[in-house]
Amino acid sequence: MDKFQIVGGYPLRGTLDIPTAKNACLPILAGSIMCSDTVKIIDCAKFSDIIYMTKILEGLGAKIIEDGDDLVLDMSDIKNFATSDEYTKKIRSSIFLLGPLLSRCHHAKVAYPGGCNIGSRPIDLHLKGLRCLGVKIIERHGYIYCDGSNMHAGDIYLDLPSVGATENIMMASVMLDGVTTINNCAKEPEIEDLQNFINAMGGKVSGAGTSVITITGVDKLHSVEYTPIRDRIIAGTYMIATAMAGGDVTLNGASANHLVALISKLRQSGCQIDTYCDKIHIVASGNIQAVSHIETQPYPGYPTDLQSQMLTLMTVSDGTTIIKENLFENRFNITSELTKMGADIKVVDRMAIVRGVKELNGAEVQAQDLRGGASLVIAALRAKGYTTIENVYHIDRGYSHMEDDLARLGAHIKRIV
Ligand code: UD1
């Protein structure tokens, strides 16, 4: 298994282009099942989760070719509504396949999804929403069987604003007769992007980005070329990496509107951040001020996907920071690895108390999940001496060759295969 070897102490300087977002491309790829024609995804990100999703689609009958940076999907021949276990179990987002398969085939069979070990990750809201649309669901022997022969439009209330449940129900409703509403839905930018993708194929979805989404059923969707939004979590990760290592970095394609909470916290920590319509410029001295309190919340609150990175930054701040994780209970698994590097972190239930230390030291550590793994890279950029990070495959799920990006900015990092 691949490892990263990093020598800390080098500032980051230069410019990076931010790729399209994993969390936008995944539901868009799943949503392409609803189209019986060709879907072209411009600049489609190439992380390992995306590759697994394309393998699942190929198993259903899609013909997919890479055209430079774009992916072209011929969806005319989808005959199968049961997804392959091999790839379905690797990614959490395989659960989104239920909605589009029901739209296209009126049936779906999906194994329980895999993904990061960041918490229990129930799927009750997905299933409850689909049941409100008349889907009969049987859960047996590790599979979810859905019969949508008698589906109808409905009025759904989500007990929590779940991103995946919102996207799944949106896709299940696109071709139902009548109007479906999803109340208390999630407001993440990737949901608005999915709405724009569906509408570009002739769908009628409105309200994404607010807490009520309305879907008016259409008979059919048509061929489309679509460019997904850029990855706010990668942009945020590299901003925090710059804050940690010190330096001067411009992130092309990054949207400041999608990163308001992070930008506010990084400014409090002492970074200078200039925002433009299509890029973010960050300058950091390496002297990090503690940020009194950070609490993860659904968008537009502070994102859980940038919590581990910020916790890591605070390990070398000039004071104490309290971090509360409200979404995924295992996000603090990273603290055992950061402690090996000299961090002072105490975890009590969903709260971490991070006392800044003068410096971190290089160590042998293990990535345990995607964002936690990226955070160990951030720690290593500053730590004295060598750090080796094992299980880099977690990081590859959501960053395409992170080592190349960081090396281009001046980091001393290499992948050991
Ligand atoms: C998506 C993102 C993930 C991000 C998360 C929260 C994708 C592919 N992944 O994951 O990167 O960390 O949003 O921003 O877009 N919940 C339930 N029952 C359900 C579904 C969710 O209780 O049926 C709970 C979860 O345990 C969690 C909260 O709702 O506490 C939010 O989860 P959700 O928004 O569904 O996350 P994902 O869609 O899995």
Side-chain angles (χ1 to χ4, degrees), residues 238-250:
Y238 290 155
M239 288 170 76
I240 299 171
T242 308
M244 187 70 159
D248 182 331
V249 169
T250 301

Side-chain angles (χ1 to χ4, degrees), residues 23 92 121-125 162-164 304-305 327-328 331:
N23 289 353
R92 163 79 185 173
R121 308 196 83 174
I123 53 167
D124 55 314
L125 300 175
S162 154
V163 176
T304 179
D305 283 347
L327 281 93
F328 295 117
R331 288 272 195 209

Side-chain angles (χ1 to χ4, degrees), residues 22-24 26-27 49 92-93 95-96 118-128 158 160-167 186 188 190 232-233 297-299 303-306 325-329 331 350 370-371 397:
K22 168 176 93 68
N23 289 353
L26 285 168
D49 272 18
R92 163 79 185 173
S93 39
I95 191 70
F96 310 148
I118 52 175
S120 60
R121 308 196 83 174
I123 53 167
D124 55 314
L125 300 175
H126 297 247
L127 303 189
K128 201 169 149 189
L158 290 178
L160 286 170
S162 154
V163 176
T166 303
E167 293 170 336
E188 269 68 359
E190 293 76 17
R232 64 193 164 101
I233 306 301
Q297 285 167 352
Y299 189 85
T304 179
D305 283 347
L306 288 171
E325 173 55 57
N326 288 315
L327 281 93
F328 295 117
E329 62 273 20
R331 288 272 195 209
R350 294 247 181 172
L370 165 56
R371 306 303 172 187
R397 290 190 37 231

Side-chain angles (χ1 to χ4, degrees), residues 15-33:
T15 301
L16 281 182
D17 293 334
I18 298 300
T20 52
K22 168 176 93 68
N23 289 353
C25 291
L26 285 168
I28 285 173
L29 280 167
S32 65
I33 292 174

